[in-house]
Amino acid sequence: DEEVLCLIRDVTDQKMLQEQLIQSEKMSAIGQLVSGVAHELNNPLAGISAFAQLLLAEKRFPSEQRDAAETIYAESRRASRIVHNLLTFARQHKAEKVPTSVNQVLDDTLELRGYELRVRGIEVSREYDEFVPDTMADAHQLQQVFLNLITNAEQSMERTPGKVHRLTVLSRRSGDVIRIEVEDTGLGIPANLLERIFNPFFTTKPTGSGTGLGLSISLGIVRGHDGRIWAESAPG
């Protein structure tokens, strides 16, 4: 029996390792694809922005056309920021902790998900404490954590149709601790599963909708920053 148990455990470990390697290769391929697309978008966006600036420099422009040119310029700049965030997120790099604005990282992450949130009709409430200080962190890793949490929240709300949904992102200082909360109006998590959601490959999503690695990776990143991460779920 012990030999059989050991054999089963070895096979399971090998399968988990293979899945992790496959997932790593997929993420690498996605990163390369995103990076390539982002670089291709940079040039036309720079051109749109430059021509919008030329139009704004024209003094004889009627006010209606000036308003349109200002909108073009502002939106092209916003698109450029999104491309920059995509490149930052896709770039392979070693962990490096530097003074980091948590509120800025949250904003950058919400910018990446802005289109999806709008399409799904999800209201976003940003409740930031403007006095939260910079903290020593790897902004790219924090963005990965926030992206996982926000995406999970989106998917939970998507599975609860027929109501107005809201994503609330909160930051505040509590003594020497910075607390971040990501709250959604989705289905919630059954109490008996709360302790398991950070386990590798565990997922409550339908088959094919998730790998079960997002929260596990997030747990490792947060612990690497000497922090804690947990979930709370209220009925309804």
Side-chain angles (χ1 to χ4, degrees):
D1 289 345
E2 289 181 0
E3 290 178 358
V4 172
L5 286 173
C6 288
L7 178 60
I8 293 173
R9 187 165 58 245
D10 288 344
V11 170
T12 302
D13 290 344
Q14 289 179 6
K15 184 178 179 182
M16 287 182 62
L17 180 59
Q18 288 175 345
E19 290 176 342
Q20 287 176 322
L21 289 172
I22 291 171
Q23 183 66 17
S24 177
E25 290 175 0
K26 284 182 179 178
M27 291 301 294
S28 177
I30 291 171
Q32 291 176 9
L33 176 63
V34 167
S35 180
V37 171
H39 278 298
E40 288 296 323
L41 286 173
N42 262 337
N43 287 335
L45 284 172
I48 292 169
S49 177
F51 278 107
Q53 284 181 293
L54 287 174
L55 291 174
L56 288 171
E58 177 56 59
K59 303 297 184 183
R60 294 171 296 175
F61 241 30
S63 59
E64 299 85 0
Q65 294 180 346
R66 177 169 293 278
D67 289 343
E70 287 176 348
T71 299
I72 292 170
Y73 178 67
E75 291 301 300
S76 66
R77 295 294 299 164
R78 189 167 73 88
S80 294
R81 288 197 303 272
I82 293 171
V83 169
H84 173 76
N85 289 339
L86 281 170
L87 283 170
T88 299
F89 187 73
R91 192 174 293 125
Q92 299 293 322
H93 67 283
K94 294 180 180 179
E96 182 180 355
K97 294 180 183 178
V98 297
T100 299
S101 167
V102 170
N103 290 347
Q104 185 62 56
V105 179
L106 286 169
D107 269 341
D108 289 345
T109 311
L110 286 169
E111 188 98 46
L112 285 177
R113 299 303 300 170
Y115 175 77
E116 289 294 333
L117 291 164
R118 288 193 297 274
V119 166
R120 293 174 176 175
I122 298 172
E123 298 177 2
V124 178
S125 175
R126 308 183 194 206
E127 300 179 7
Y128 299 163
D129 179 350
E130 60 182 288
F131 298 109
V132 166
D134 287 359
T135 185
M136 295 300 292
D138 185 309
H140 310 297
Q141 290 188 348
L142 286 189
Q143 188 175 49
Q144 187 173 358
V145 173
F146 297 155
L147 192 61
N148 280 329
L149 299 183
I150 290 168
T151 303
N152 281 351
E154 287 176 37
Q155 293 171 344
S156 177
M157 290 184 281
E158 189 179 31
R159 299 201 301 272
T160 320
K163 61 182 291 190
V164 177
H165 285 296
R166 179 181 293 106
L167 173 73
T168 303
V169 181
L170 175 150
S171 71
R172 69 171 180 262
R173 181 175 184 171
S174 178
D176 293 331
V177 173
I178 296 175
R179 181 182 175 101
I180 306 297
E181 294 181 11
V182 177
E183 179 182 339
D184 65 73
T185 54
L187 291 167
I189 305 167
N192 63 317
L193 299 181
L194 275 175
E195 297 298 322
R196 300 177 59 195
I197 61 172
F198 293 99
N199 293 345
F201 303 108
F202 178 79
T203 180
T204 59
K205 299 172 188 173
T207 303
S209 298
T211 62
L213 285 173
L215 288 178
S216 177
I217 292 170
S218 298
L219 174 66
I221 291 173
V222 172
R223 283 180 173 173
H225 284 75
D226 298 319
R228 292 178 56 223
I229 182 170
W230 69 93
E232 298 173 358
S233 188

